[in-house]
Amino acid sequence: MLRAEVVLIWVSCSVLLLSGHLTQGIGVNWGNIMSQPLHPTTVVRMLKDNGIKKVKLFDSDYRTVSSLAGSGIQVMVAIPNDQLQLFSNDYDSAKYWVEENITSHLYKGGVDIKYVAIGNEPFLKSYHGVFTRHTFPTLKNIQRALDEAGVGNKIKATIPLNADVYDSSTGKPSGGSFRKDIREVMTKIVKHLNKNKAPFVVNIYPFLSLYANDNFPMEFAFFEGGSKPIYDNGVKYTNVLDANHDTLVWSLRKAGVPKLKIIIGEIGWPTDGDKNANVRYAKRFYDGLFKRLASDKGTPLRAGRMDIYLFSLFDENQKSVLPGFFERHWGIFRYDGKPKFRMDFSGEGHDKLLVAAKGVKYLPRQWCVFDREIKNMSRVPANMDFACNYADCTPLVNGGSCSGLDIKWKTSYAFNIYFQMQNQAMDACDFQGLAILTTKNVSRGSCLFPVQIVSAGERLKFGSMLTLLLMMIMFTLLLL
Ligand SMILES: *[C@@H]1O[C@H](CO)[C@@H](O)[C@H](O)[C@H]1NC(C)=O
Ligand SMILES: *[C@@H]1O[C@H](CO)[C@@H](O)[C@H](O)[C@H]1NC(C)=O
Ligand SMILES: *[C@@H]1O[C@H](CO)[C@@H](O)[C@H](O)[C@H]1NC(C)=O
């Protein structure tokens, strides 16, 4: 009873407070597929320190979402793909989900939730259609639940889609239309979004165009021109972002919703794990991107400022490498919340390092390395495989930041990254007697041998042990 009333008050307050609220500025994607994530409050402070106004999440994890309360940061929460089926069949579950995960955060000084992402790229070709049936019904059920909770005016359900949901029959933007196998459902979806004043969210990756095709003209992935332009009905395209974006504009026109708002849900450049994934190219890409955003030019078919979310905030060492070894290196920040290179969100070229996460605690200053006294190398490959099966060895691949090391140093890299991932547990630096500890920083050139941070998970475990202890003491006192 009480709870229902409280929720009602929250809802009415937040509707009053948040309607008509407009947020500008750069957004970022905040994922957490990592072994030692930073504490959410540390991350929120870092976002604020850097003037980041919007975040896009990949779930609705309670701790993460609540950490954004009162931050002034606008939030897109998400329902993961594997939960879409639940909400597609059952409106009551959708309603309950909205109560638990949305309206409970809406109170004075609460979380500024603006969008609910239904799945993440659910129509990706490589998923072979497993989520296709459940996506649109879930979109409808969640928007209806938002509407019935009285927040539908301000909070919109949408679907972050990969740019592979459309293609062009001519190779030019004007040949664009939604992919044949999903054209029917995509047409229904965009009409629904249009009717509900919800945006179309698309992820566009110039890096992947380059990665997928060795003949792709390199300059076209960046923004300085210099490659052969594409001419399309008198419109000139000098970079793949514009061309790709306007292929979507054409697809929307053909689907009957020419004015549907477009948000770029993910855009960025990775810094390791591939020959084109490095700090130099990433900096070049972001410099060009921010300059373009600042010009407010938009694309040839859509004038005005683009609404974008950078991909991504952090390197995530437990992401699948199925898309490629670069997949764990999209962060504009490293695993520990340190910036990787200088940039300027304003696009005015006042390059500086972003503000690092504050109050980050590191494990002791020690590394686990291959013991150079060892002469018999026969056990090295199996032990390296073992380490790299668990930990992230992608900097060792061709083109990676540690690919220039010799075999002994590569072995050391693998041993250390495993040891750090295991929170420097003593038995994690043995490898059948091949490894030893050192307190000498063994980082070499571009290849960083990291020392892991004390992760939020660990601190929380410690915290809850303390709570348990306190409760036991109180309980004992009560009994006396
Ligand atoms: C939010 O939704 C998820 C399912 O997506 C659920 O597991 C979780 O418990 C919900 N509630 C809160 C308070 O996070
Ligand atoms: C090296 O070690 C392996 C396995 O421990 C052993 O079978 C092999 O005989 C050793 N080789 C030499 C040259 O000692
Ligand atoms: C080790 O050295 C590298 C560069 O040489 C540096 O970036 C890193 O911060 C150092 N690590 C520690 C823990 O001092």
Side-chain angles (χ1 to χ4, degrees), residues 170-406:
T170 58
K172 295 180 177 186
S174 59
S177 57
F178 289 115
R179 215 170 75 207
K180 220 171 183 167
D181 60 310
I182 50 169
R183 193 171 295 159
E184 202 183 315
V185 67
M186 278 307 302
T187 305
K188 288 182 186 156
I189 286 171
V190 295
K191 290 198 160 137
H192 181 272
L193 294 175
N194 198 50
K195 195 179 79 203
N196 287 283
K197 300 193 168 62
F200 190 100
V201 177
V202 64
N203 303 338
I204 299 180
Y205 282 111
F207 169 82
L208 293 182
S209 308
L210 196 59
Y211 178 76
N213 178 0
D214 267 337
N215 298 320
F216 188 86
M218 174 76 116
E219 305 298 320
F220 210 58
F222 298 96
F223 299 95
E224 302 104 54
S227 73
K228 211 172 119 223
I230 293 178
Y231 290 95
D232 187 18
N233 295 322
V235 182
K236 180 178 165 187
Y237 288 95
T238 57
N239 69 77
V240 68
L241 173 62
D242 284 357
N244 192 306
H245 179 281
D246 284 359
T247 308
L248 170 60
V249 174
W250 275 104
S251 310
L252 293 173
R253 283 180 182 176
K254 288 173 197 167
V257 289
K259 296 220 167 94
L260 186 61
K261 177 181 162 67
I262 297 172
I263 290 179
I264 298 183
E266 297 182 6
I267 187 164
W269 200 281
T271 59
D272 209 340
D274 183 68
K275 65 176 194 290
N276 293 319
N278 54 53
V279 165
R280 193 161 59 89
Y281 284 168
K283 176 159 176 38
R284 181 176 167 199
F285 180 77
Y286 282 114
D287 283 353
L289 178 66
F290 295 137
K291 219 162 106 190
R292 271 197 62 95
L293 290 175
S295 75
D296 276 353
K297 233 170 42 190
T299 68
L301 298 188
R302 280 281 176 97
R305 175 152 292 214
M306 283 190 202
D307 198 350
I308 67 156
Y309 292 83
L310 305 181
F311 193 86
S312 188
L313 200 49
F314 300 115
D315 284 355
E316 294 171 73
N317 65 351
Q318 293 185 311
K319 287 193 82 172
S320 160
V321 292
L322 233 51
F325 294 118
F326 53 82
E327 191 63 16
R328 294 172 176 168
H329 304 281
W330 288 101
I332 54 175
F333 290 92
R334 309 187 326 187
Y335 70 101
D336 57 353
K338 284 219 170 96
K340 291 182 183 169
F341 50 89
R342 303 163 78 83
M343 54 167 78
D344 178 15
F345 291 154
S346 79
E348 289 166 8
H350 306 308
D351 271 7
K352 57 180 183 339
L353 281 174
L354 297 176
V355 182
K358 293 188 174 127
V360 176
K361 297 223 165 46
Y362 290 83
L363 296 173
R365 226 175 152 276
Q366 58 179 351
W367 292 261
C368 176
V369 293
F370 176 69
D371 180 357
R372 296 198 156 244
E373 301 290 308
I374 306 259
K375 298 289 173 263
N376 185 341
M377 300 286 285
S378 66
R379 285 187 162 154
V380 165
N383 281 282
M384 212 168 150
D385 280 355
F386 172 81
C388 293
N389 253 327
Y390 287 93
D392 174 34
C393 292
T394 54
L396 297 178
V397 304
N398 265 346
S401 60
C402 302
S403 58
L405 302 183
D406 68 15

Side-chain angles (χ1 to χ4, degrees), residues 87-103:
F87 305 113
S88 73
N89 300 332
D90 182 6
Y91 175 66
D92 284 341
S93 319
K95 202 169 137 183
Y96 182 64
W97 186 89
V98 165
E99 275 170 25
E100 270 228 336
N101 290 274
I102 304 295
T103 41

Side-chain angles (χ1 to χ4, degrees), residues 60-62 78-80 83 87 97 100-101 104:
S60 62
D61 173 60
Y62 190 79
I79 298 175
Q83 290 176 21
F87 305 113
W97 186 89
E100 270 228 336
N101 290 274
S104 68

